[in-house]
């Protein structure tokens, strides 16, 4: 009994000794009820001119959350001698930052200084999925923006060459499970990759093989034709699945056929548990959507910041 009381007391102290940045669904109901629709409109408008916007926003949110929590640090630009995350090495293909700036401007016009850039990015990523044919869901809000963004932090992002144990470690360090890993990798139903991110699988795979033997041979051949060994074409690459502007479960179907782009995708087939999840999501769009929404809410609830920035690009 005494032990239980002591434990409860310890838990209570833990709860109050850290500044918990708790999120809620109705966070802006009183202070900025129109914020969400303003963000949706900004994303819609950008998509009309550029079909690559949804993929960019989803990946941007993922990078934001994996570095210092979802605190808008990915949005900051380099200043003086500080090189920001967005200018760090694996930034390749991060783009469409202007969509967040436009959304922020619209939201600031409605309710100045109230809605964080981190929340705007989380909402924009959700709308990007919903507007691409995926599920819509309610996003818990109340994230705060951080003041630090360092290019060197991008080394903490998982690499496309990671195997399953490296992926597991990267996700579990952020409180995310193997199920979250498989569900969130489904984000690769949208978007594009440059050759450099998958060249390990199609040239000099290892000392004896040129091509990753787990890759479907004709798929490997098609990737090699757009990405030759000494590729000189600047933006050459491949879409992450065959319906890269539609949010669906095609990614998992192709993965099961050896037609995924990254080693980190293929790695999901290397443990029985993750392979079972891949099959289940490949068989059922509903199962995938349910798991994706649950895991997105989990990933986007990793908080980190402390203020509301007025300009998403600069700290004052
Ligand atoms: C599991 C670990 C992950 C790895 C190793 C990984 C790696 C990558 C790489 C290397 C690219 C292509 C970069 C390029 O060459 O242009 C990419 C693109 C992308 N990733 Fe991931 N990713 C991971 C997880 C995620 C998650 C969790 C999401 C979101 C839920 C996500 C969403 C995307 C999207 C949408 C793109 C396409 C971006 C665009 O077309 O602009 N990825 N990822
Ligand atoms: C970077 O600049 C700040 C002031 O702008 C200065 O305090 C700091 O020492 C500089 N750091 C390096 C590594 O040069
Ligand atoms: C990505 O980082 C490189 C430096 O590693 C930088 O030169 C480039 O401008 C960055 N690209 C974007 C889109 O921020
Ligand atoms: C998704 O639902 C929210 C309400 O929860 C709404 O504000 C938002 O506009 C919806 N997004 C899309 C793209 O329909
Ligand atoms: C994954 O890669 C790491 C680092 O190269 C290695 O130590 C580990 O044994 C690998 N794990 C698997 C399951 O291949
Ligand atoms: C190359 O990869 C194949 C397939 O994974 C493996 O069987 C072979 O032993 C590897 N060769 C070397 C030299 O590592």
């Amino acid at each position: 009994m005494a032990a239980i009381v002591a434990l409860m007391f310890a838990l209570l102290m833990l709860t109050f000794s850290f500044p918990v940045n708790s999120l809620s669904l109705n966070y802006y109901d009183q202070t900025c009820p129109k914020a969400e629709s303003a963000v949706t409109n900004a994303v819609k408008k950008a998509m009309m001119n550029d079909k690559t916007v949804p993929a960019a926003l989803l990946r941007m949110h993922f990078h934001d959350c994996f570095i210092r929590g979802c605190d808008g640090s990915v949005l900051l630009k380099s200043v003086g001698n500080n090189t920001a995350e967005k200018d760090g090495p694996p930034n390749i293909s991060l783009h469409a930052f202007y969509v967040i700036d436009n959304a922020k401007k619209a939201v600031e016009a409605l309710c100045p200084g109230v809605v964080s850039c981190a929340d705007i990015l989380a909402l924009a990523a959700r709308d990007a999925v919903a507007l691409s044919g995926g599920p819509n869901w309610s996003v818990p809000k109340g994230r705060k923006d951080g003041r630090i963004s360092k290019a060197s932090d991008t080394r903490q992002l998982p690499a496309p060459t990671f195997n399953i144990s490296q992926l597991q470690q990267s996700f579990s360090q952020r409180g995310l499970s193997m199920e979250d890993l498989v569900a969130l990798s489904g984000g690769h139903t949208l978007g594009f990759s440059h050759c450099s991110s998958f060249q390990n699988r199609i040239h000099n795979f290892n000392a004896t093989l040129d091509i990753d033997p787990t890759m479907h041979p004709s798929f490997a051949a098609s990737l090699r034709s757009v990405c030759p060994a000494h590729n000189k074409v600047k933006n050459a690459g491949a879409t992450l699945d065959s319906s890269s502007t539609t949010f669906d479960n095609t990614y998992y179907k192709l993965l099961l056929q050896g037609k995924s782009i990254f080693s980190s995708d293929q790695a999901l087939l290397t443990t029985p548990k993750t392979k079972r999840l891949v099959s289940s999501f490949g068989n059922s769009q509903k199962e995938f959507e349910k798991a994706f929404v649950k895991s997105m809410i989990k990933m986007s609830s990793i908080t980190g910041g402390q203020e509301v920035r007025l300009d998403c690009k600069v700290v004052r």
Side-chain angles (χ1 to χ4, degrees):
M1 187 61 194
I4 292 172
V5 171
L7 185 68
M8 284 177 67
F9 183 71
L11 282 175
L12 209 68
M13 291 312 289
L14 257 167
T15 313
F16 289 107
S17 54
F18 292 105
V20 183
N21 192 338
S22 66
L23 306 180
S24 64
L25 293 176
N26 56 3
Y27 195 81
Y28 297 117
D29 280 6
Q30 306 304 319
T31 53
C32 200
K34 299 216 172 84
E36 295 213 17
S37 54
V39 173
T40 307
N41 287 337
V43 175
K44 259 189 199 156
K45 197 168 162 202
M47 278 175 72
M48 292 197 295
N49 300 313
D50 182 356
K51 286 193 172 0
T52 72
V53 160
L57 294 172
L58 181 57
R59 183 166 190 236
M60 199 187 291
H61 180 50
F62 157 55
H63 280 206
D64 190 29
C65 295
F66 263 54
I67 299 175
R68 299 179 182 275
C70 320
D71 68 341
S73 57
V74 73
L75 305 169
L76 288 168
K77 62 178 181 188
S78 301
V79 194
N81 59 15
N82 183 59
T83 308
E85 274 168 46
K86 65 161 75 153
D87 293 323
N91 66 359
I92 186 163
S93 94
L94 277 188
H95 66 286
F97 290 99
Y98 72 93
V99 182
I100 301 303
D101 292 329
N102 289 345
K104 175 69 169 173
K105 262 187 221 125
V107 170
E108 284 300 301
L110 292 169
C111 8
V114 169
V115 184
S116 66
C117 297
D119 274 348
I120 290 176
L121 179 50
L123 291 167
R126 182 274 314 268
D127 287 331
V129 169
L131 293 167
S132 302
N136 191 5
W137 65 94
S138 302
V139 175
K141 294 160 292 279
R143 291 167 198 76
K144 293 284 184 273
D145 298 323
R147 301 178 64 84
I148 301 169
S149 179
K150 286 183 192 300
S152 56
D153 285 346
T154 56
R155 276 187 301 230
Q156 299 161 23
L157 289 167
T161 51
F162 271 13
N163 64 31
I164 195 70
S165 30
Q166 294 168 306
L167 290 168
Q168 174 168 33
Q169 188 185 9
S170 170
F171 275 63
S172 73
Q173 278 167 353
R174 291 159 176 93
L176 300 172
S177 67
M178 294 297 258
E179 173 151 11
D180 296 321
L181 166 65
V182 179
L184 291 170
S185 293
H188 291 164
T189 178
L190 295 178
F192 174 87
S193 170
H194 294 79
C195 299
S196 56
S197 305
F198 55 87
Q199 83 143 9
N200 68 307
R201 301 186 72 194
I202 58 171
H203 301 290
N204 284 318
F205 175 67
N206 68 16
T208 50
L209 293 171
D210 204 25
I211 299 175
D212 182 343
T214 60
M215 192 181 264
H216 190 287
S218 68
F219 185 66
S222 72
L223 292 181
R224 274 163 66 103
S225 75
V226 281
C227 303
H230 301 286
N231 169 52
K232 290 274 172 4
V233 184
K234 196 166 167 263
N235 282 315
T239 58
L240 297 182
D241 87 4
S242 56
S243 54
S244 68
T245 57
T246 305
F247 192 96
D248 57 18
N249 65 345
T250 306
Y251 162 82
Y252 297 100
K253 293 182 180 160
L254 293 173
L255 173 54
L256 288 162
Q257 298 167 27
K259 296 177 182 170
S260 69
I261 297 288
F262 305 127
S263 299
S264 59
D265 299 319
Q266 181 67 33
L268 303 178
L269 300 178
T270 58
T271 76
K273 183 187 158 109
T274 51
K275 187 176 181 177
R276 218 178 305 120
L277 289 165
V278 170
S279 301
S280 144
F281 298 159
N283 284 330
S284 163
Q285 170 100 5
K286 274 271 160 305
E287 284 301 311
F288 166 46
E289 288 187 354
K290 215 170 71 188
F292 185 79
V293 166
K294 188 170 151 227
S295 297
M296 277 296 281
I297 292 173
K298 220 166 134 187
M299 179 179 81
S300 78
S301 301
I302 310 170
T303 53
Q306 55 287 127
E307 64 185 25
V308 172
R309 278 204 295 276
L310 297 179
D311 177 340
C312 295
K313 299 186 293 304
V314 293
V315 167
R316 268 175 228 285

